[in-house]
Amino acid sequence: MSNNADLIPRLQQLLPADGVLTNSAERFVYEFDALTIARATPAAIVFPRSTAEVVAVVKLLAELNIPIIPRGSGTGLAG
């Protein structure tokens, strides 16, 4: 993951404080859903609340060449 050092502070500039999860305990919950075969710890979890915030996050991740992994309800049983 390139430019990971820039990622967290820049996400925190784009979103409210409670819109970016970064500590290991918070991120652990998002390592997997009901499909436990594919596990990976995300660098951060974001909760954009508006279209503008989604656009800003997507542009930042594209700029830093960091993949976006969207998550639904977390069951892994549909889709």
Side-chain angles (χ1 to χ4, degrees), residues 2 5-6 8 16 20 36 40 42-43 53 56-57 59 66-67 72 77 79:
S2 64
D6 293 339
I8 304 305
V20 182
T36 59
E53 288 180 353
V57 169
K59 284 182 178 181
I66 295 174
L77 303 175

Side-chain angles (χ1 to χ4, degrees), residues 11-31:
L11 285 171
Q12 291 169 330
Q13 290 175 344
L14 296 175
L15 301 173
D18 64 345
V20 182
L21 303 181
T22 59
N23 78 43
S24 60
E26 292 171 325
R27 293 181 298 130
F28 173 76
V29 177
Y30 294 87
E31 282 186 0

